[in-house]
Amino acid sequence: MADTSPLISITHLSKSFPGVRALNNCQFELAAGEVHALMGENGAGKSTLMKVLAGVYTKDEGEIRIDGQVVNIPTPRAAQALGISIIHQELNLMNHLSAAQNIFIGREPLGRMGLFVDQDKMAADTQKIFDRLHLQLDPRVEVGELTVAKQQMVEIAKALSFNSRVLIMDEPTAALNNAEIDDLFRIIRQLKAHGVGIVYISHKMDELKVISDRVTVMRDGEYIATVPTASTSMDTIIGMMVGRALESNDNPARYTHTDDSHEVMLEVKGLNRGRSIKDVSFSVRKGEILGFAGLMGAGRTEVARAIFGADALDSGEVWVKGQKVAIKAPSDAVKVGIGYLSEDRKRYGLATGMDVQSNILLANLKNFVSMGFWLKQDAIEAVAQKYVTQLGIKTPSIFQLARLLSGGNQQKIVIAKWLLRDCEVLFFDEPTRGIDVGAKSEIYKLLNALAEQGRAIVMISSELPEVLRMSHRIVVMCEGRVTGELSAAEATQEKIMQFATLRETNTATAATTH
């Protein structure tokens, strides 16, 4: 009789960190040749569970079995030896090394004398893996020259070089466009056909329907249920994730109209920076959410960074509340009331090694100093607690390290920082990237509340449903240029995509044919 043991079986698994019980009596199962999606709000314990399986964390209690045999996984190296590999959301590659060197780092094949690395063999072994994946990649190319999508393929190839039977993918499509996602899915199906078990962590519902066989839902560090993807509605899965029904308000922004009588809070005219920003002009009014749409590389983030003073402009003007301003550095932008929430909150928005309280006060600390150097500790704690309560930041205390909180709660800390600074113009760059459905709903409510308070908001997002739901007006960019502007009433996904793909050559062609 054939062995019907699952490839991976996790039972009664628990894990605690100081002040936080991250996992409580969890279970999970993975079959060979299965794509098993792992879902839950940020902070539900998904990544922690998988990091235990990958040897990044050690479990406190519970049992892990591979092919029915109990195993101990104290380190990532032990996990690799058992055929388990994890591809983290933040890729772990060395940009100055070649693809082959990254794949075989620490395991380089040596030449005859055993003294030098056999570069030719290493490239040939890498090529074999690329051929297996049908990847058009040069093993000797420097990884830093590759797109994020191609870097991810190198990570997958590295996992396969360990003869991995289990591949854990954490938010693998977060920075990919549609064509790159299709390519990734092709490779996942190929691995699945070869019997590799894949754990797929994602918040993107449409992807899960396409790629996964089963979905396991976690909530607050506990196992909720495992269901077949094909026969389970997305509403059912969302209900299990959040433990409540989400408000079905298709587009709150459509019912909070702004009109031409509202004050123009920010106007930019003729911004230029190299090839990334070409003659960009737009304005945003008091109480308005202006959506910025476009494909990866359209120049949306570059525009935001230039206005905020993070990157120098070649030319152009920035006006705040009718006054022309000179912004040479982010500190200048903050002085005139502009705040910027970066798409990479961990790198640019947070000091992850500091606590919640310190992060909230970061941009406004000088207002909490007396006699030049004494910190007003009671006032600091009171204001930090006020924003934790007001924004619903889930944390054991204001003294908890920011890095220990979920992505959604980290995002709220950054919002609190700029609200305390009383910025009247706020740029939100990919505000819900890597954030689960329930936290997204909360961020949307926050954005709408800020608009109702009279703040002017520019929201950059790659998710078209999000842009359509939240925006009063939508500016669309392609290859550094503004190619279109739509009101909420006239905007559709199709119209946005037409403008998002309107390259300069297309525009020229259109002009000559009319």
Side-chain angles (χ1 to χ4, degrees):
M1 185 174 170
D3 182 12
T4 56
S5 299
L7 178 54
I8 297 285
S9 175
I10 298 173
T11 51
H12 306 300
L13 195 137
S14 296
K15 173 68 181 174
S16 292
F17 298 103
V20 181
R21 189 161 176 82
L23 300 172
N24 182 38
N25 196 30
C26 289
Q27 64 187 69
F28 183 78
E29 195 177 274
L30 178 70
E34 175 188 33
V35 178
H36 195 142
L38 188 55
M39 297 197 72
E41 295 192 79
N42 276 37
K46 311 178 300 293
S47 293
T48 304
L49 181 63
M50 288 302 107
K51 283 178 178 176
V52 170
L53 181 59
V56 177
Y57 299 147
T58 53
K59 61 184 170 60
D60 296 338
E61 300 165 19
E63 190 175 80
I64 301 172
R65 291 176 179 262
I66 298 180
D67 294 327
Q69 300 296 309
V70 176
V71 294
N72 186 35
I73 311 176
T75 63
R77 191 176 287 271
Q80 284 175 341
L82 290 165
I84 301 167
S85 290
I86 185 167
I87 297 173
H88 297 278
Q89 196 172 348
E90 288 89 15
L91 301 177
N92 294 317
L93 294 170
M94 298 191 186
N95 287 346
H96 64 289
L97 297 181
S98 71
Q101 287 167 332
N102 268 284
I103 288 168
F104 287 101
I105 194 162
R107 308 173 291 142
E108 297 87 350
L110 300 176
R112 287 182 193 171
M113 304 291 290
L115 297 174
F116 301 102
V117 173
D118 188 337
Q119 299 286 353
D120 291 338
K121 183 176 188 330
M122 189 160 63
D125 289 347
T126 301
Q127 190 61 58
K128 284 177 190 171
I129 302 171
F130 287 172
D131 289 345
R132 177 181 162 191
L133 295 172
H134 303 294
L135 275 182
Q136 302 296 317
L137 258 183
D138 179 359
R140 297 179 193 269
V141 69
E142 258 190 39
V143 159
E145 296 175 13
L146 299 176
T147 63
V148 173
K150 290 286 190 279
Q151 288 180 359
Q152 205 160 50
M153 301 307 178
V154 172
E155 283 270 33
I156 293 171
K158 183 175 181 177
L160 294 184
S161 74
F162 288 99
N163 295 315
S164 297
R165 300 173 62 205
V166 175
L167 190 57
I168 302 162
M169 308 182 89
D170 193 352
E171 296 287 350
T173 64
L176 308 189
N177 63 33
N178 288 342
E180 291 166 340
I181 290 170
D182 289 343
D183 208 27
L184 176 67
F185 283 3
R186 173 186 65 75
I187 286 173
I188 288 174
R189 290 188 183 101
Q190 206 175 317
L191 295 173
K192 180 179 167 179
H194 284 92
V196 176
I198 295 165
V199 184
Y200 192 93
I201 302 174
S202 177
H203 296 119
K204 297 183 179 177
M205 297 286 175
D206 52 338
E207 288 181 6
L208 300 181
K209 276 290 187 187
V210 171
I211 201 66
S212 70
D213 300 298
R214 286 191 292 169
V215 177
T216 286
V217 177
M218 295 180 68
R219 186 170 73 240
D220 298 330
E222 298 187 347
Y223 169 83
I224 301 300
T226 299
V227 294
T229 309
S231 59
T232 309
S233 74
M234 288 295 110
D235 285 345
T236 301
I237 293 171
I238 291 170
M240 290 191 291
M241 282 170 60
V242 300
R244 63 189 187 277
L246 288 177
E247 293 176 22
S248 59
N249 193 349
D250 288 337
N251 188 344
R254 289 183 195 273
Y255 310 106
T256 326
H257 293 298
T258 59
D259 57 43
D260 293 347
S261 67
H262 289 193
E263 182 184 7
V264 173
M265 301 294 284
L266 173 73
E267 184 173 13
V268 300
K269 303 175 183 178
L271 300 190
N272 287 284
R273 175 180 162 83
R275 296 174 62 187
S276 60
I277 305 174
K278 303 171 189 171
D279 195 27
V280 168
S281 301
F282 67 91
S283 64
V284 57
R285 294 178 180 274
K286 189 181 184 80
E288 181 180 31
I289 299 176
L290 179 69
F292 255 71
L295 302 175
M296 294 282 286
R300 298 162 302 160
T301 294
E302 287 80 358
V303 167
R305 284 177 57 85
I307 292 169
F308 192 62
D311 298 323
L313 282 166
D314 297 335
S315 62
E317 297 177 357
V318 178
W319 295 67
V320 176
K321 296 168 78 170
Q323 299 291 314
K324 187 177 174 183
V325 294
I327 299 175
K328 304 296 184 189
S331 56
D332 297 330
V334 174
K335 280 175 193 165
V336 297
I338 300 174
Y340 175 50
L341 288 85
S342 166
E343 62 179 327
D344 189 346
R345 58 181 169 265
K346 287 184 181 174
R347 188 172 172 192
Y348 296 118
L350 282 171
T352 54
M354 295 172 75
D355 61 23
V356 172
Q357 167 192 271
S358 301
N359 273 282
I360 291 174
L361 272 290
L362 266 179
N364 215 32
L365 203 55
K366 70 173 188 289
N367 289 347
F368 292 86
V369 175
S370 67
M371 299 175 65
F373 56 89
W374 291 108
L375 286 176
K376 301 175 186 174
Q377 196 57 44
D378 289 347
I380 287 172
E381 289 179 22
V383 80
Q385 191 57 59
K386 171 191 157 188
Y387 280 104
V388 164
T389 304
Q390 186 177 317
L391 301 185
I393 300 170
K394 292 175 187 168
T395 176
S397 80
I398 58 174
F399 306 109
Q400 176 76 300
L401 291 179
R403 67 180 170 79
L404 297 178
L405 300 188
S406 69
N409 287 304
Q410 288 177 347
Q411 187 71 298
K412 288 180 183 179
I413 292 171
V414 184
I415 294 170
K417 176 175 74 175
W418 294 121
L419 292 186
L420 176 59
R421 184 71 205 205
D422 203 26
C423 290
E424 293 183 285
V425 179
L426 289 167
F427 280 81
F428 285 81
D429 196 348
E430 302 289 358
T432 65
R433 173 169 288 170
I435 290 177
D436 57 76
V437 176
K440 272 187 181 183
S441 182
E442 291 178 10
I443 296 291
Y444 294 157
K445 279 184 193 168
L446 268 175
L447 291 181
N448 280 306
L450 293 172
E452 284 168 19
Q453 290 165 21
R455 287 181 168 86
I457 292 169
V458 180
M459 187 190 76
I460 299 166
S461 176
S462 299
E463 295 189 32
L464 291 187
E466 180 168 272
V467 172
L468 288 165
R469 173 181 176 169
M470 294 302 299
S471 310
H472 297 108
R473 279 187 303 130
I474 298 165
V475 168
V476 190
M477 290 186 68
C478 179
E479 296 181 345
R481 296 175 304 110
V482 171
T483 50
E485 184 182 305
L486 298 161
S487 68
E490 64 186 338
T492 62
Q493 292 205 25
E494 291 73 22
K495 284 181 182 174
I496 291 173
M497 285 308 296
Q498 281 174 0
F499 284 127
T501 54
L502 194 65
R503 306 180 65 190
E504 217 154 0
T505 49
N506 297 356
T507 314
T509 306
T512 56
T513 54
H514 279 73

